[in-house]
């Protein structure tokens, strides 16, 4: 075993460098190559107990341990040692003999076997180095001693009889136990969770998932199940960092600015002509003096408050649904948008969800709360529009705006009438715009794709395989512009960049959610599609939604 000298602190890893030695001892030197970075957990697997997971040491090895170098390496090392050794020959021989005898008595520090054949079929040096790097930098795996203990004491004839083991997790860092279920799955899972803590402590999370590539359903009914084991530090979400708080604050400030901009744009009939020309005429080059917009900021605040209020209700809905289930959520990361004020917010789960019903409840609570407030503002705004006493607060918008939504266009047509809607411009209350934008944002977030609220709800209600089919359909409709009109492309890019990955599985990812939850998810998706479905020209002309001119 090598002598460790010249230690200094380093972050997340430490470095061991072998000092050159000569003679027969060189063939007994450390099997860890010089200058290789080794993670602390890798040394735990090699027999050295290290209590610091996040901090390591940078150390130099003064003398070799057990291992093998090839003859060329030994020769080179011997030459370097002869060039740098200044001790007399007698002392040098005595030191070598002493170290050689001590190595026979000490246990060796073994690294990963250097034989390429241990990786299976022949691989190139680059592939072998890649395998080593993935193991060193990858997540910490389950302790084999704990796996044996769990197989012997956790599973059994009365609960779950293990017949096979497979890798589990994104990088195979866990263990998936396959076998035969001997009782009701929910009762077995609850019993195994309690006994797991008694056997190995609070180190692991146990997942009940559908057995991959199962030959058929379980004889007791439902899909066949298996149990996955992952370390808590690997499976549980990471805490929010300071930089994430800073980013969330900056995004919120940008969202406030985009909401105020929406309020100013809604007063287009009152804005100075040079400002309107710059934003509407494609040939305009020289920007106007933006100080001309300052008098309109105060009148834009009510609309901005409405947009921000919808966002607040959306997030409060998530947190109220998560609190009784003891599920932690991250701070919201608002996404500013100049057309709607905001695209909503990204809210992450900071706890592993206990079951699929919890996933459905928390996911739908946000868009339903935001849609409830938005619909209230939309209806109140339409009623105020028909009130002659509020005519001074009305703003004029192009009638083509109402063709952006089949559902909202029909509601507006039935409230305002054919004459008011069948014109070039329509006078409406600002609350109509705030409600319209809020409903559109809620509908976008309810779409069944990726990690959106709708995607999480579909995954919880119908399973991951169903989400794949729904997601492909949604991407196709967004790509063709069938949903969302001109906003379909930016929204589709946003989902692909930020929200495309499905949510991670729950602890109990097998038990069904019930018929009524599935029905609520289906109704939510249908309403979202009707809200985002544009009205084509022929139907708009027939219903009187906007003034259609045929050339």
């Amino acid at each position: 075993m090598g002598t460790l000298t010249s230690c200094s602190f380093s972050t997340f890893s430490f470095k061991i460098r072998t000092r050159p030695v000569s003679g027969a001892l060189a063939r007994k030197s450390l099997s860890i190559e010089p200058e290789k970075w080794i993670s602390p957990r890798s040394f735990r697997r090699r027999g050295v107990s290290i209590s610091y997971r996040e901090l390591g040491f940078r150390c130099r090895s003064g003398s070799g341990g057990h291992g093998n170098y090839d003859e060329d390496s030994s020769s080179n090392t011997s030459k370097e040692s002869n060039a740098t050794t200044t001790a007399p020959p007698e002392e040098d021989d005595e030191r070598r003999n002493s170290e050689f005898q001590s190595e026979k008595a000490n246990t060796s520090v073994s690294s990963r076997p250097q034989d390429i054949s241990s990786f299976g079929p022949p691989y190139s040096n680059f592939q072998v180095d890649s395998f080593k790097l993935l193991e060193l930098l990858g997540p910490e795996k389950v302790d084999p001693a704990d796996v044996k203990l769990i197989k012997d004491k956790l599973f059994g004839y009365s609960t779950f009889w293990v017949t096979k083991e497979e890798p589990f997790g994104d990088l195979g860092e866990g263990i998936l136990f396959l076998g035969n279920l001997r009782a009701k799955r929910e009762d077995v899972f609850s019993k195994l969770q309690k006994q797991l803590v008694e056997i190995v402590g609070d180190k692991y999370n146990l997942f009940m998932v559908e057995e991959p590539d199962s030959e058929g359903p379980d004889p007791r009914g439902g899909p066949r199940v298996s149990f996955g084991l992952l370390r808590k530090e690997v499976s549980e979400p990471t805490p929010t960092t300071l930089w994430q708080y800073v980013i969330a604050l900056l995004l919120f400030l940008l969202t406030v600015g985009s909401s105020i901009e929406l309020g100013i744009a809604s007063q287009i009939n009152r804005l100075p002509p040079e400002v309107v020309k710059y934003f509407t005429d494609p040939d305009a080059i020289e920007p106007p003096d933006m100080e001309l917009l300052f008098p309109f900021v105060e009148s834009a605040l009510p609309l901005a408050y409405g947009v921000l209020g919808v966002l607040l209700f959306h997030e409060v809905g998530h947190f109220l649904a998560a609190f009784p289930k003891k599920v932690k959520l991250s701070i919201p990361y608002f996404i500013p948008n100049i057309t709607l004020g905001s695209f909503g917010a990204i809210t992450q789960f900071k706890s592993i969800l206990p079951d699929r019903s919890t996933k459905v409840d928390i996911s739908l609570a946000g868009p339903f709360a935001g849609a409830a407030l938005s619909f209230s503002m939309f209806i109140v705004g339409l009623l105020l529009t028909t009130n002659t006493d509020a005519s001074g607060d009305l703003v004029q918008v192009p009638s083509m705006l109402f063709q952006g939504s089949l559902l909202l266009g029909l509601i507006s047509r039935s409230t305002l009438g054919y004459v008011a809607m069948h014109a070039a411009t329509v006078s409406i209350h600002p609350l109509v715009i705030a409600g319209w934008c809020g409903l559109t944002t809620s509908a976008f977030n309810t779409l069944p794709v990726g990690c959106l609220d709708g995607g999480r709800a579909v995954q919880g209600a119908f399973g991951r395989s169903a989400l794949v089919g729904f997601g492909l359909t949604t991407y196709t409709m967004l790509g063709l512009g069938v949903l969302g009109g001109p906003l379909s492309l930016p929204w589709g890019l946003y989902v692909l960049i930020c929200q495309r990955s499905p949510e991670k599985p729950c602890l109990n990812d097998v038990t069904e959610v019930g018929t009524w939850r599935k029905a609520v998810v289906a109704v939510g998706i249908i309403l979202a599609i009707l809200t985002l479905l544009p009205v084509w020209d022929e139907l708009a002309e027939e219903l009187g939604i906007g003034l259609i001119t045929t050339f």
Side-chain angles (χ1 to χ4, degrees):
M1 180 176 293
T3 304
L4 299 178
T5 59
S6 120
C7 295
S8 61
F9 282 101
S10 175
T11 305
F12 290 98
S13 56
F14 61 91
K15 187 179 189 179
I16 289 186
R17 180 180 300 161
T18 58
R19 191 168 61 191
V21 293
S22 62
L25 185 59
R27 290 188 292 271
K28 289 286 186 177
S29 55
L30 278 172
S31 60
I32 303 175
E33 293 89 351
E35 301 294 331
K36 178 183 287 186
W37 287 92
I38 308 295
S39 66
R41 59 171 173 266
S42 178
F43 272 86
R44 280 201 297 272
R45 293 196 292 268
R46 289 160 171 77
V48 178
S49 176
I50 295 176
S51 58
Y52 297 94
R53 294 191 65 259
E54 299 299 332
L55 293 178
F57 302 92
R58 178 176 294 173
C59 307
R60 297 179 186 269
S61 175
S63 61
H66 289 294
N68 291 311
Y69 279 130
D70 55 29
E71 293 298 329
D72 293 339
S73 176
S74 299
S75 177
N76 294 337
T77 306
S78 177
K79 293 178 181 179
E80 293 177 4
S81 178
N82 292 336
T84 58
T85 302
T86 59
E90 296 80 8
E91 294 181 8
D92 194 14
D93 293 339
E94 183 180 355
R95 178 178 58 80
R96 294 177 196 168
N97 294 333
S98 175
E99 290 177 345
F100 184 77
Q101 294 297 331
S102 64
E103 288 184 17
K104 291 183 178 181
N106 293 337
T107 57
S108 63
V109 180
S110 62
S111 70
R112 188 183 300 104
Q114 300 300 313
D115 189 3
I116 297 179
S117 63
S118 62
F119 291 93
Y123 289 96
S124 66
N125 292 334
F126 175 78
Q127 289 174 313
V128 173
D129 292 339
S130 300
F131 294 150
K132 295 177 181 179
L133 182 63
L134 286 176
E135 182 178 342
L136 293 175
L137 300 182
E140 190 168 1
K141 296 185 177 181
V142 177
D143 191 345
D146 289 339
V147 174
K148 185 178 184 304
L149 187 63
I150 290 170
K151 285 183 62 179
D152 294 340
K153 295 188 176 182
L154 182 64
F155 300 109
Y157 288 105
S158 62
T159 55
F160 185 80
W161 182 252
V162 178
T163 59
K164 187 179 178 182
E165 300 173 26
E166 292 183 357
F168 181 67
D170 296 334
L171 299 175
E173 65 274 20
I175 298 294
L176 183 66
F177 299 98
L178 293 86
N180 300 316
L181 190 68
R182 299 303 178 88
K184 186 178 179 181
R185 57 173 59 92
E186 288 79 12
D187 297 338
V188 170
F189 183 58
S190 178
K191 183 178 181 180
L192 294 180
Q193 280 184 310
K194 295 178 181 178
Q195 291 181 349
L196 179 65
V197 178
E198 298 174 359
I199 295 174
V200 294
D202 194 26
K203 294 193 299 183
Y204 299 102
N205 280 320
L206 187 67
F207 296 81
M208 183 170 66
V209 297
E210 294 187 19
E211 180 179 315
D213 303 324
S214 60
E215 298 179 355
D218 192 277
R220 298 174 179 271
R224 297 184 65 89
V225 301
S226 53
F227 294 91
L229 190 71
L230 287 173
R231 285 186 175 271
K232 281 186 174 291
E233 57 266 28
V234 173
S235 56
E236 293 185 350
T238 57
T240 305
T241 63
L242 177 61
W243 280 110
Q244 289 175 321
Y245 283 108
V246 173
I247 293 174
L249 177 60
L250 293 177
L251 288 175
F252 175 73
L253 295 178
L254 290 175
T255 303
V256 172
S258 62
S259 301
I260 295 176
E261 185 273 339
L262 176 63
I264 295 176
S266 66
Q267 309 173 65
I268 190 171
N269 58 318
R270 303 175 184 174
L271 297 179
E274 54 269 30
V275 175
V276 176
K277 181 179 179 181
Y278 177 74
F279 286 104
T280 57
D281 187 0
D283 297 330
I285 301 177
E286 185 177 354
D289 187 5
M290 290 303 169
E291 293 183 358
L292 298 173
L293 298 177
F294 289 167
F296 300 92
V297 172
E298 184 176 357
S299 57
L301 292 180
L303 179 56
Y305 292 152
V307 173
L308 295 175
V310 172
L311 297 177
L312 178 62
F313 261 61
H314 184 115
E315 299 308 316
V316 168
H318 283 314
F319 280 90
L320 290 180
F323 181 76
K325 303 291 186 177
K326 298 181 180 179
V327 175
K328 297 179 181 179
L329 300 177
S330 73
I331 53 176
Y333 301 90
F334 295 102
I335 309 300
N337 179 264
I338 59 175
T339 303
L340 299 175
S342 175
F343 264 156
I346 299 175
T347 306
Q348 302 169 334
F349 289 120
K350 288 297 181 180
S351 302
I352 302 179
L353 300 181
D355 49 47
R356 290 163 59 175
S357 297
T358 301
K359 179 181 291 186
V360 173
D361 295 343
I362 297 176
S363 300
L364 290 183
F368 279 15
L373 178 61
S374 301
F375 189 73
S376 300
M377 291 192 296
F378 182 71
I379 294 299
V380 171
L382 289 177
L383 295 178
L384 291 176
T385 301
T386 59
N387 187 358
T388 56
D389 296 335
S391 58
D393 299 328
L394 303 183
V395 296
Q396 291 184 348
V397 297
S399 60
M400 298 285 290
L401 171 68
F402 294 91
Q403 298 180 31
S405 170
L406 176 61
L407 179 62
L408 302 184
L410 291 175
I411 295 175
S412 302
R413 163 68 176 81
S414 62
T415 305
L416 301 180
Y418 178 85
V419 176
M421 294 287 295
H422 198 259
T425 59
V426 181
S427 298
I428 57 174
H429 195 273
L431 277 178
V432 176
I433 302 176
W436 185 293
C437 294
L439 286 169
T440 304
T441 301
S442 299
F444 270 124
N445 282 274
T446 312
L447 290 178
V449 60
C451 211
L452 298 176
D453 292 329
R456 290 171 172 173
V458 167
Q459 183 178 348
F462 304 104
R464 184 179 290 260
S465 58
L467 177 60
V468 174
F470 276 101
L472 291 176
T473 304
T474 303
Y475 280 128
T476 303
M477 297 178 74
L478 289 173
L480 296 176
V482 177
L483 294 178
L487 291 175
S488 59
L489 180 59
W491 179 259
L493 293 175
Y494 158 69
V495 175
L496 283 174
I497 295 173
C498 302
Q499 300 278 65
R500 67 179 182 274
S501 301
E503 191 61 49
K504 292 184 177 181
C506 309
L507 290 175
N508 179 359
D509 206 48
V510 178
T511 303
E512 296 287 340
V513 301
T515 304
W516 73 269
R517 279 190 173 90
K518 294 181 179 180
V520 171
V521 173
V523 169
I525 294 174
I526 293 173
L527 291 176
I529 293 175
L530 291 178
T531 302
L532 299 176
L533 189 64
V535 182
W536 54 95
D537 292 345
E538 292 78 5
L539 181 60
E541 182 70 33
E542 183 177 348
L543 297 176
I545 302 177
L547 181 62
I548 309 300
T549 302
T550 303
F551 295 95

